[in-house]
Amino acid sequence: MSTAVPEGNVAGRLSFVDRYLAVWILAAMAVGLGLGRLVPGLGDALAEVTVTGVSLPIALGLLVMMYPVLAKVRYDRLDTVTRDRRLLLPSLLLNWVVGPALMFALAWLFLPDLPAYRTGLIIVGLARCIAMVIIWNDLACGHREAAAVLVALNSVFQVVAFSALGWFYLSVLPGRLGLEQTGLDVPVGEIARSVLLFLGIPLAAGYLTRRIGEKTKGRTWYENKLIPRIAPFALYGLLFTIVVLFALQGDAITSQPFDVARIALPLLVYFAVMWAGSMALGRAVGLDHSRATTLAFTAAGNNFELAIAVAIATFGATSGQALAGVVGPLIEVPVLIGLVYVALYARRYFPAPAVPAPQEDPTHA
């Protein structure tokens, strides 16, 4: 899955697979929904074996999806990201203050009469993205190292803050505003296991692959030979994950189209506002296009795996809260893949990046 997109006619110069990526993703969604609707018991079978509350096939798909992208990260450059306060501070603000507050407001605005769906949406807003956002960022030519740092930062905050924010937005704040309150009891250990599974394993695998590959064969071989071989597995993992995800809830989604539409509307507003606002903020504080793109996608994406697992564990697999969690990726996947193309187009509104001096292969100096 190539992400080196030259200036000019972007679509015309992408590979066949990348050029029609939106088609493959929409087809995977359709296949998953069709399988879930037409094959009796398939969803139950896929959900029977779980890891940290998430279907094992989904977990495997996510690991395959994330590994190639994390293997592309140049870990020796991470220090330049960790020193960039113009990126880190806005990211923390957007992810842990603006995002949850916006989803809370939209859930109450659009779903005042549907408490189960409203609660499910608020849970989605609390689960900041640590997995699929890496794919969207890579496709949109975002800053790969910055994405790795921001995702790791989100992971730490997720373990520390998720339960507290759930208590605040579902119990404390509604009580202060005279609104209906809901309880949410999520063990910190369960969140930590989810983070370890969906980020820790592929991150360690990607780091070790680069470290060992560069040490034994050199950076030139690693970048030009190994990466092109493993890169397509990111797309395979993504499409497999989408098929399984929608097969799990295909019957529920297709049998309740009006409810899905009610849930979808605030999600559409959320993704559009978070992405566009984050992109504009990045431009305003002086970030280049690649880092502003990373800021936008890490702020707009959500950890639907964790949101679904929490909703199922707390309210049950057939609950309205769980359905709202499932509708999250139903809307997020096509919207964010569309925003990939918007991000590529938006490069013309950012200053051209400085051309870095050529660097020697550190292992073959």
Side-chain angles (χ1 to χ4, degrees):
M1 189 160 49
S2 172
T3 58
V5 185
E7 297 290 340
N9 184 4
V10 174
R13 299 188 187 187
L14 290 174
S15 70
F16 176 79
V17 172
D18 286 351
R19 190 184 311 170
Y20 296 103
L21 180 63
V23 176
W24 313 138
I25 288 176
L26 292 174
M29 293 171 63
V31 169
L33 289 172
L35 289 172
R37 180 72 175 178
L38 300 175
V39 181
L42 178 61
D44 293 337
L46 290 173
E48 188 172 345
V49 181
T50 63
V51 179
T52 67
V54 177
S55 166
L56 180 59
I58 290 180
L60 292 175
L62 288 168
L63 293 177
V64 172
M65 174 189 77
M66 293 179 65
Y67 163 67
V69 181
L70 290 170
K72 294 179 183 178
V73 172
R74 291 192 173 184
Y75 294 92
D76 55 345
R77 296 181 178 177
L78 293 184
D79 60 331
T80 63
V81 179
T82 57
R83 295 195 301 264
D84 190 351
R85 293 186 178 182
R86 290 182 303 170
L87 176 64
L88 297 182
L89 294 180
S91 178
L92 289 175
L93 175 68
L94 289 165
N95 273 287
W96 298 102
V97 178
V98 177
L102 176 61
M103 189 69 89
F104 174 84
L106 292 173
W108 274 100
L109 178 64
F110 285 94
L111 303 171
D113 57 328
L114 297 171
Y117 297 156
R118 184 177 64 237
T119 298
L121 278 185
I122 293 172
I123 293 173
V124 169
L126 299 178
R128 312 313 299 168
C129 199
I130 65 169
M132 200 170 284
V133 68
I134 291 179
I135 291 288
W136 310 135
N137 178 75
D138 213 44
L139 289 169
C141 294
H143 196 287
R144 197 170 287 146
E145 287 71 35
V149 170
L150 295 185
V151 164
L153 199 61
N154 273 350
S155 301
V156 173
F157 271 79
Q158 200 144 252
V159 174
V160 174
F162 184 91
S163 296
L165 287 174
W167 169 70
F168 177 76
Y169 280 107
L170 293 174
S171 182
V172 176
L173 185 58
R176 293 288 180 89
L177 298 175
L179 303 173
E180 181 181 352
Q181 298 171 278
T182 305
L184 184 65
D185 183 17
V186 185
V188 173
E190 181 178 325
I191 301 171
R193 286 194 298 271
S194 176
V195 169
L196 176 64
L197 174 65
F198 296 121
L199 178 64
I201 293 176
L203 182 61
Y207 173 79
L208 290 174
T209 299
R210 177 172 282 278
R211 186 69 181 268
I212 295 171
E214 288 189 353
K215 186 175 182 179
T216 56
K217 294 283 191 175
R219 176 163 290 181
T220 300
W221 173 87
Y222 185 87
E223 298 281 356
N224 297 332
K225 297 293 184 180
L226 182 61
I227 289 297
R229 292 177 185 173
I230 65 176
F233 286 93
L235 176 59
Y236 305 153
L238 173 64
L239 296 179
F240 174 79
T241 301
I242 292 172
V243 170
V244 175
L245 180 66
F246 289 106
L248 276 167
Q249 294 288 340
D251 184 65
I253 291 173
T254 56
S255 63
Q256 303 177 62
F258 182 71
D259 288 352
V260 169
R262 289 283 306 271
I263 299 168
L265 187 55
L267 283 167
L268 284 170
V269 175
Y270 173 84
F271 292 131
V273 170
M274 285 297 294
W275 190 91
S278 302
M279 199 75 169
L281 177 61
R283 179 70 172 83
V285 299
L287 297 179
D288 60 19
H289 174 266
S290 66
R291 296 193 184 212
T293 295
T294 299
L295 179 67
F297 279 101
T298 52
N302 292 90
N303 186 353
F304 63 82
E305 310 91 4
L306 176 60
I308 293 171
V310 168
I312 291 175
T314 306
F315 303 101
T318 60
S319 65
Q321 292 87 344
L323 178 61
V326 171
V327 174
L330 174 70
I331 305 303
E332 178 177 336
V333 168
V335 169
L336 291 191
I337 191 61
L339 291 173
V340 166
Y341 293 97
V342 177
L344 293 173
Y345 178 81
R347 287 185 304 174
R348 65 189 64 193
Y349 299 107
F350 286 78
V355 179
Q359 299 183 5
E360 294 184 359
D361 185 333
T363 61
H364 287 172

